[in-house]
Amino acid sequence: MNRRDSLKALGLAAAGGALLLDGCGPQTKAGKETAKLADKLPGVQDWEHARNGKLAGEKFFTDHELTAIGVLADIIIPADGVSGSATDAGVPAFIEFMVKDIPAYQTPMRGGLKWLDVQCQRRYGKAFADCGESQQLELVNEIAYPAKAKPEMGQGVAFFNLMRNLTASGFFTSEMGVKDIGYVGNRPGVWDGVPQDVLEAHGFKDAWG
C-alpha cells in the first residue's frame, strides 16, 4: 500500500471531520493519551471537560482488541524516516476514546475485529494479532482496496475503511502527525516589494535605480 503519502490527504479530511463531530475530543498523542484531561483545554466548556474525563475513565475495548487495533494501525501508518508509527502517535488510545465518544462506531469496530479473528482462525488457526506479519498483510490486502475486493469480503472492507479513517484522524491530529505533514501554523507574511515584472509592466523598470 502507498500508505503515508495518500493518507496525508485522507488524514486531513478525516481529521477535520472527526474534530467537527464533537469539538471537545482529546488532542492526540491520542489526547495526550487521554491522561491529561485533568488539564482543561482552552475553549472547552465545563460540561464538555467533565464528559471527556468520564469517557477517558471508561474502557470499551478488551486488551486483545486493542492489540489488534495497534497492529492494524501500524500496517496503515508504519514508521518511516520522517516520524514514528500510528501506535507511536497514540492512535489506539484515540480510537478507544472515539468509540466511546461516538457509540455508533462500537458495533462496526468490535464486529470488524471479530471478523478478522474468524478469518484468521479459519486460514491460519490463530487470532489476527497472533498471526505472522505476512499472514496479517495477506488478509489486509484483501480488504484494503474496495474496488478489488471480492464480494464475500464486504464486511471486512467496510471495517477496514472505518479503521483507516480513524487511524488517519488520530495520527494526523497528533503532535507527531502535524509535524509529519509540515504544518507550522499561521505565520506573518514577508513583503519583498513589488515584483520586478509587475514594475516593468507599469513603466517602472528603473524605479529603484
Side-chain angles (χ1 to χ4, degrees), residues 26-35 89-95 97 170 174:
Q27 297 176 351
T28 52
K29 177 163 184 201
K32 304 297 183 183
E33 298 175 350
T34 67
V91 166
F94 172 83
I95 294 176
F97 182 91
S174 71

Side-chain angles (χ1 to χ4, degrees), residues 17 42 49 59 75 78 81 84 87 92 95 98 101 120 136 140 146 152 157 159-160 179 184 201:
H49 178 69
K59 183 174 181 179
I75 288 175
T87 57
I95 294 176
M98 290 303 294
D101 187 41
C120 287
Q136 292 167 344
V140 166
E152 60 269 26
V157 170
F159 162 68
F160 192 79
K179 290 179 179 178
V184 295

